[in-house]
Amino acid sequence: MQSLTATATFTAVTIGFASLGALIVSRQRGNAFGWLFITLAMFLSVPHNLLQNYAVYALVVAPDPLLGGKVAFWLSSQALDGMFILLMTLLLLLFPDGRPATVTSTR
């Protein structure tokens, strides 16, 4: 039951990121936030779900362990979590206008 709850929550968050990104890009095509939200949704949905499903099938469902099950499990949990943190940090660095903050001298 816990896995089903986590999957439903993950799906809702991914759809939220994609919807928000599409809304921003439809209004302002050059805004980096919209593209980052869309990238984040695609990055979270496709590789994470595919790797997680393969890992469960390879390690639990299949009678003989399939090749790469442990690697797929590690990638779907640890490596993608790190990428999620990096993308969220990038969003914070681009806040509020979608451009990196610059230091201006007042001479």
Side-chain angles (χ1 to χ4, degrees), residues 18-31 33-35 38:
S19 300
L20 184 61
L23 180 67
I24 292 171
V25 167
S26 71
R27 307 266 186 216
Q28 296 178 343
R29 205 171 269 303
N31 193 317
F33 281 113
W35 293 111
I38 290 172

mmCIF file of all heavy atoms in Angstrom, residues 18-31 33-35 38:
data_model
loop_
_atom_site.group_PDB
_atom_site.id
_atom_site.type_symbol
_atom_site.label_atom_id
_atom_site.label_comp_id
_atom_site.label_asym_id
_atom_site.label_seq_id
_atom_site.Cartn_x
_atom_site.Cartn_y
_atom_site.Cartn_z
ATOM 1 N N ALA A 18 4.774 19.494 -14.890
ATOM 2 C CA ALA A 18 4.572 19.609 -16.338
ATOM 3 C C ALA A 18 3.516 20.653 -16.665
ATOM 4 O O ALA A 18 3.685 21.448 -17.596
ATOM 5 C CB ALA A 18 4.176 18.254 -16.917
ATOM 6 N N SER A 19 2.427 20.671 -15.913
ATOM 7 C CA SER A 19 1.346 21.634 -16.168
ATOM 8 C C SER A 19 1.807 23.063 -15.914
ATOM 9 O O SER A 19 1.535 23.972 -16.717
ATOM 10 C CB SER A 19 0.140 21.325 -15.289
ATOM 11 O OG SER A 19 -0.339 20.048 -15.561
ATOM 12 N N LEU A 20 2.499 23.269 -14.811
ATOM 13 C CA LEU A 20 2.989 24.605 -14.499
ATOM 14 C C LEU A 20 4.008 25.077 -15.540
ATOM 15 O O LEU A 20 3.973 26.220 -15.992
ATOM 16 C CB LEU A 20 3.612 24.631 -13.102
ATOM 17 C CG LEU A 20 4.089 25.984 -12.603
ATOM 18 C CD1 LEU A 20 2.917 26.956 -12.516
ATOM 19 C CD2 LEU A 20 4.742 25.825 -11.244
ATOM 20 N N GLY A 21 4.894 24.185 -15.941
ATOM 21 C CA GLY A 21 5.869 24.529 -16.968
ATOM 22 C C GLY A 21 5.213 24.859 -18.287
ATOM 23 O O GLY A 21 5.584 25.826 -18.956
ATOM 24 N N ALA A 22 4.209 24.076 -18.686
ATOM 25 C CA ALA A 22 3.506 24.344 -19.946
ATOM 26 C C ALA A 22 2.758 25.671 -19.886
ATOM 27 O O ALA A 22 2.723 26.409 -20.870
ATOM 28 C CB ALA A 22 2.537 23.205 -20.251
ATOM 29 N N LEU A 23 2.182 25.986 -18.744
ATOM 30 C CA LEU A 23 1.480 27.260 -18.591
ATOM 31 C C LEU A 23 2.437 28.440 -18.712
ATOM 32 O O LEU A 23 2.160 29.409 -19.418
ATOM 33 C CB LEU A 23 0.758 27.306 -17.244
ATOM 34 C CG LEU A 23 -0.016 28.580 -16.941
ATOM 35 C CD1 LEU A 23 -1.205 28.698 -17.886
ATOM 36 C CD2 LEU A 23 -0.472 28.581 -15.499
ATOM 37 N N ILE A 24 3.589 28.340 -18.063
ATOM 38 C CA ILE A 24 4.573 29.424 -18.123
ATOM 39 C C ILE A 24 5.114 29.590 -19.543
ATOM 40 O O ILE A 24 5.204 30.698 -20.056
ATOM 41 C CB ILE A 24 5.722 29.168 -17.122
ATOM 42 C CG1 ILE A 24 5.201 29.273 -15.690
ATOM 43 C CG2 ILE A 24 6.868 30.144 -17.343
ATOM 44 C CD1 ILE A 24 6.193 28.825 -14.636
ATOM 45 N N VAL A 25 5.446 28.472 -20.198
ATOM 46 C CA VAL A 25 6.010 28.543 -21.550
ATOM 47 C C VAL A 25 4.979 29.055 -22.544
ATOM 48 O O VAL A 25 5.321 29.775 -23.486
ATOM 49 C CB VAL A 25 6.564 27.163 -21.971
ATOM 50 C CG1 VAL A 25 6.876 27.106 -23.450
ATOM 51 C CG2 VAL A 25 7.814 26.840 -21.170
ATOM 52 N N SER A 26 3.706 28.718 -22.347
ATOM 53 C CA SER A 26 2.682 29.212 -23.277
ATOM 54 C C SER A 26 2.516 30.727 -23.181
ATOM 55 O O SER A 26 2.145 31.372 -24.148
ATOM 56 C CB SER A 26 1.345 28.517 -23.016
ATOM 57 O OG SER A 26 0.777 28.957 -21.795
ATOM 58 N N ARG A 27 2.802 31.291 -22.016
ATOM 59 C CA ARG A 27 2.675 32.744 -21.839
ATOM 60 C C ARG A 27 3.967 33.485 -22.199
ATOM 61 O O ARG A 27 3.924 34.554 -22.779
ATOM 62 C CB ARG A 27 2.318 33.062 -20.389
ATOM 63 C CG ARG A 27 1.124 32.339 -19.882
ATOM 64 C CD ARG A 27 -0.099 33.158 -20.038
ATOM 65 N NE ARG A 27 -1.209 32.452 -19.403
ATOM 66 C CZ ARG A 27 -2.411 32.471 -19.871
ATOM 67 N NH1 ARG A 27 -2.689 33.144 -20.949
ATOM 68 N NH2 ARG A 27 -3.369 31.811 -19.267
ATOM 69 N N GLN A 28 5.098 32.918 -21.786
ATOM 70 C CA GLN A 28 6.400 33.548 -22.042
ATOM 71 C C GLN A 28 7.382 32.480 -22.493
ATOM 72 O O GLN A 28 7.934 31.738 -21.674
ATOM 73 C CB GLN A 28 6.939 34.211 -20.770
ATOM 74 C CG GLN A 28 6.105 35.340 -20.257
ATOM 75 C CD GLN A 28 6.694 35.901 -18.978
ATOM 76 O OE1 GLN A 28 7.523 35.281 -18.320
ATOM 77 N NE2 GLN A 28 6.252 37.098 -18.629
ATOM 78 N N ARG A 29 7.598 32.401 -23.786
ATOM 79 C CA ARG A 29 8.418 31.329 -24.334
ATOM 80 C C ARG A 29 9.872 31.377 -23.872
ATOM 81 O O ARG A 29 10.530 30.359 -23.771
ATOM 82 C CB ARG A 29 8.367 31.388 -25.849
ATOM 83 C CG ARG A 29 8.651 30.036 -26.417
ATOM 84 C CD ARG A 29 8.436 29.894 -27.859
ATOM 85 N NE ARG A 29 7.194 29.486 -28.435
ATOM 86 C CZ ARG A 29 6.540 28.366 -28.185
ATOM 87 N NH1 ARG A 29 6.940 27.570 -27.248
ATOM 88 N NH2 ARG A 29 5.462 28.056 -28.852
ATOM 89 N N GLY A 30 10.377 32.532 -23.543
ATOM 90 C CA GLY A 30 11.773 32.663 -23.156
ATOM 91 C C GLY A 30 12.036 32.510 -21.668
ATOM 92 O O GLY A 30 13.180 32.623 -21.238
ATOM 93 N N ASN A 31 11.021 32.242 -20.878
ATOM 94 C CA ASN A 31 11.200 32.133 -19.436
ATOM 95 C C ASN A 31 11.853 30.793 -19.079
ATOM 96 O O ASN A 31 11.350 29.725 -19.425
ATOM 97 C CB ASN A 31 9.845 32.250 -18.740
ATOM 98 C CG ASN A 31 9.991 32.463 -17.248
ATOM 99 O OD1 ASN A 31 10.804 31.822 -16.601
ATOM 100 N ND2 ASN A 31 9.199 33.371 -16.720
ATOM 101 N N PHE A 33 12.128 29.360 -16.189
ATOM 102 C CA PHE A 33 11.387 28.561 -15.214
ATOM 103 C C PHE A 33 10.470 27.551 -15.886
ATOM 104 O O PHE A 33 10.398 26.396 -15.481
ATOM 105 C CB PHE A 33 10.538 29.450 -14.297
ATOM 106 C CG PHE A 33 11.324 30.089 -13.211
ATOM 107 C CD1 PHE A 33 11.502 31.457 -13.202
ATOM 108 C CD2 PHE A 33 11.869 29.337 -12.207
ATOM 109 C CE1 PHE A 33 12.229 32.058 -12.209
ATOM 110 C CE2 PHE A 33 12.600 29.924 -11.208
ATOM 111 C CZ PHE A 33 12.779 31.294 -11.204
ATOM 112 N N GLY A 34 9.762 27.980 -16.910
ATOM 113 C CA GLY A 34 8.851 27.070 -17.602
ATOM 114 C C GLY A 34 9.579 25.888 -18.199
ATOM 115 O O GLY A 34 9.160 24.735 -18.059
ATOM 116 N N TRP A 35 10.690 26.164 -18.854
ATOM 117 C CA TRP A 35 11.463 25.082 -19.463
ATOM 118 C C TRP A 35 12.069 24.171 -18.415
ATOM 119 O O TRP A 35 12.155 22.949 -18.609
ATOM 120 C CB TRP A 35 12.524 25.649 -20.395
ATOM 121 C CG TRP A 35 11.923 26.306 -21.590
ATOM 122 C CD1 TRP A 35 11.911 27.638 -21.873
ATOM 123 C CD2 TRP A 35 11.198 25.673 -22.640
ATOM 124 N NE1 TRP A 35 11.231 27.870 -23.040
ATOM 125 C CE2 TRP A 35 10.780 26.677 -23.543
ATOM 126 C CE3 TRP A 35 10.858 24.357 -22.912
ATOM 127 C CZ2 TRP A 35 10.050 26.394 -24.683
ATOM 128 C CZ3 TRP A 35 10.114 24.082 -24.064
ATOM 129 C CH2 TRP A 35 9.733 25.083 -24.927
ATOM 130 N N ILE A 38 9.298 21.867 -17.154
ATOM 131 C CA ILE A 38 9.016 20.816 -18.133
ATOM 132 C C ILE A 38 10.138 19.782 -18.140
ATOM 133 O O ILE A 38 9.884 18.570 -18.148
ATOM 134 C CB ILE A 38 8.813 21.426 -19.535
ATOM 135 C CG1 ILE A 38 7.503 22.213 -19.560
ATOM 136 C CG2 ILE A 38 8.823 20.353 -20.606
ATOM 137 C CD1 ILE A 38 7.297 23.018 -20.813
#
